[in-house]
């Protein structure tokens, strides 16, 4: 009778893993049935018997089938270094489900962050203060900065904004006011100007570099620089729609004439290039 029930559930879970929820305790401890359920839906493991969740061999098999199975293993197995390393090798995000002890393990954490730097979020507090760990994470993904304890560290933040300017969002207020950091940030992400200090949004070189990289950055410039014809024209050359961010004086006055002159010059250049190509 038990064998018949096991066979029945074996067929059912092949199509709907969560059906394991309705099985008897004996069937929830049946390795074959539970494994098939996990193959169909990894979340079915939560309905397995306590004995199976404590079974080390079954844990390796389940993780190999679906790394996220680690989420429903017994706490003792989530503190098993070999099991956690195996899961993390398959997907670095498995670090999230490791024990607090293993989230402080350098090898385990490195294995995770080298796949995806933002997995630093799941590292233990001590390793979030480890410069080498944090720099390794940032090298992989600049957004890892937000999970570190180095948001006010010049060297670390500079490394992050070199990777991508968007990391400026996660820098400390002091470094959002640092000219070198902000110049580097807007080089790859103009609109990150929004996160810089009020003083630096009034810096001609920074704002000009920002709008050259991304015309929409004009909206975050200071009132004075929105009235600067060189900066506004640089933005409008890329995208005419950003004219709405320029000062009313430029929108209604000289900039329109300047844009018209620029368009005429570009049109003339295109005609020359076309004529030259026809001659060839």
């Amino acid at each position: 009778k038990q064998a018949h029930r096991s066979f029945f559930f074996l067929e059912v879970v092949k199509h709907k893993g969560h059906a394991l929820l309705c099985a008897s305790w004996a069937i929830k401890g049946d390795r074959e049935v539970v494994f098939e359920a996990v193959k169909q839906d990894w979340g079915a493991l939560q309905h397995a018997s306590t004995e199976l969740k404590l079974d080390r061999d079954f844990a390796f098999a389940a993780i190999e089938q679906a790394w996220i199975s680690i989420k429903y293993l017994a706490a003792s197995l989530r503190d098993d270094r070999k099991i956690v390393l195996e899961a993390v090798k398959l997907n670095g995000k498995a670090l999230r489900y490791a024990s607090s002890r293993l989230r402080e393990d350098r090898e385990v954490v490195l294995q995770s962050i080298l796949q995806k730097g933002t997995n630093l979020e799941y590292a233990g507090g001590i390793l979030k203060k480890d410069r080498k760990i944090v720099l390794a994470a940032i090298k992989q993904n600049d957004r890892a900065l937000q999970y570190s304890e180095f948001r006010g560290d010049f060297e670390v933040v500079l490394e992050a904004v070199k990777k991508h300017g968007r990391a400026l969002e996660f820098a400390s207020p002091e470094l959002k006011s640092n000219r070198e950091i902000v110049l580097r940030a807007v080089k790859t992400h103009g609109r990150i100007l929004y996160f810089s200090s009020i003083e630096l949004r009034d810096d001609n070189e920074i704002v000009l570099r920002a709008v050259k990289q991304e015309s929409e950055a004009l909206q975050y410039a200071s009132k004075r620089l929105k009235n600067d014809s060189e900066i506004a024209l640089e933005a409008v050359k890329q995208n005419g729609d950003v004219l709405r961010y320029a000062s009313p004086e430029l929108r209604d006055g000289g900039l329109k004439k300047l844009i018209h002159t620029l368009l005429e010059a570009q049109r003339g250049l295109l005609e020359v290039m076309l004529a030259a190509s026809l001659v060839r």
Side-chain angles (χ1 to χ4, degrees):
K1 194 173 183 180
Q2 180 61 38
H4 177 73
R5 286 178 181 170
S6 294
F7 178 77
F8 170 77
F9 267 97
L10 184 62
E11 293 306 308
V12 171
V13 298
K14 285 179 181 178
H15 304 285
K16 191 173 179 62
H18 264 286
L20 187 64
L21 171 66
C22 304
S24 67
W25 193 247
I27 291 173
K28 287 178 179 181
D30 186 303
R31 297 172 69 90
E32 185 181 7
V33 172
V34 175
F35 188 70
E36 284 298 327
V38 171
K39 280 172 66 176
Q40 201 283 321
D41 185 340
W42 66 268
L45 184 59
Q46 65 186 298
H47 307 307
S49 68
T50 303
E51 288 75 17
L52 266 188
K53 289 178 184 178
L54 283 164
D55 188 302
R56 200 164 182 268
D57 292 334
F58 185 80
F60 276 113
I63 286 169
E64 187 177 345
Q65 184 61 42
W67 67 268
I68 199 169
S69 298
I70 190 174
K71 179 178 180 179
Y72 293 119
L73 294 179
S76 60
L77 295 186
R78 286 185 281 115
D79 190 48
D80 184 306
R81 195 169 187 275
K82 287 188 177 180
I83 287 175
V84 171
L85 263 176
E86 185 64 29
V88 167
K89 283 177 183 177
L90 292 170
N91 191 306
K93 201 172 181 178
L95 180 64
R96 178 179 183 180
Y97 305 107
S99 67
S100 56
R101 180 181 73 87
L102 291 179
R103 283 189 273 120
E104 296 286 6
D105 185 298
R106 291 181 68 85
E107 185 184 354
V108 172
V109 171
L110 272 172
Q111 184 72 48
S112 175
I113 64 173
L114 291 178
Q115 292 178 42
K116 189 175 182 181
T118 51
N119 287 337
L120 183 64
E121 175 183 4
Y122 310 120
I126 294 172
L127 292 184
K128 286 179 179 177
K129 297 176 183 178
D130 186 300
R131 180 178 291 270
K132 288 184 179 179
I133 291 286
V134 170
L135 284 172
I138 286 171
K139 188 175 180 180
Q140 203 287 322
N141 190 315
D142 57 281
R143 289 181 180 272
L145 178 64
Q146 65 187 298
Y147 303 116
S148 81
E149 298 292 330
F150 290 92
R151 295 166 72 165
D153 184 288
F154 178 84
E155 180 192 352
V156 173
V157 174
L158 183 61
E159 191 63 36
V161 297
K162 280 181 181 178
K163 179 79 175 172
H164 200 291
R166 66 191 173 195
L168 182 66
E169 177 183 353
F170 310 115
S172 68
E174 292 75 20
L175 291 183
K176 285 176 181 175
S177 298
N178 183 284
R179 196 168 188 277
E180 185 179 350
I181 293 283
V182 175
L183 264 174
R184 192 75 194 201
V186 298
K187 185 178 180 180
T188 57
H189 190 14
R191 280 191 292 177
I192 205 67
L193 182 66
Y194 172 78
F195 290 102
S196 68
S197 65
I198 293 172
E199 293 76 18
L200 294 183
R201 281 187 253 167
D202 191 48
D203 183 298
N204 287 59
E205 184 183 359
I206 287 175
V207 174
L208 184 59
R209 182 178 289 189
V211 300
K212 280 183 177 180
Q213 202 286 321
E214 200 168 4
S215 59
E216 292 277 337
L218 181 61
Q219 65 187 298
Y220 305 123
S222 66
K223 185 177 180 181
R224 179 181 72 85
L225 293 183
K226 284 179 179 177
N227 194 40
D228 185 291
S229 58
E230 180 189 4
I231 287 172
L233 183 59
E234 185 61 46
V236 171
K237 277 196 300 185
Q238 299 175 56
N239 180 1
D241 289 341
V242 301
L243 179 60
R244 67 184 186 273
Y245 300 128
S247 68
E249 293 82 2
L250 286 181
R251 286 201 307 269
D252 303 330
L255 189 60
K256 282 188 176 180
K257 292 179 182 178
L258 198 56
I259 292 169
H260 179 73
T261 303
L262 177 67
L263 291 173
E264 287 298 317
Q266 288 178 335
R267 189 176 293 114
L269 179 61
L270 286 171
E271 288 173 357
V272 170
M273 291 172 66
L274 180 61
S277 66
L278 290 174
V279 170
R280 290 175 189 169

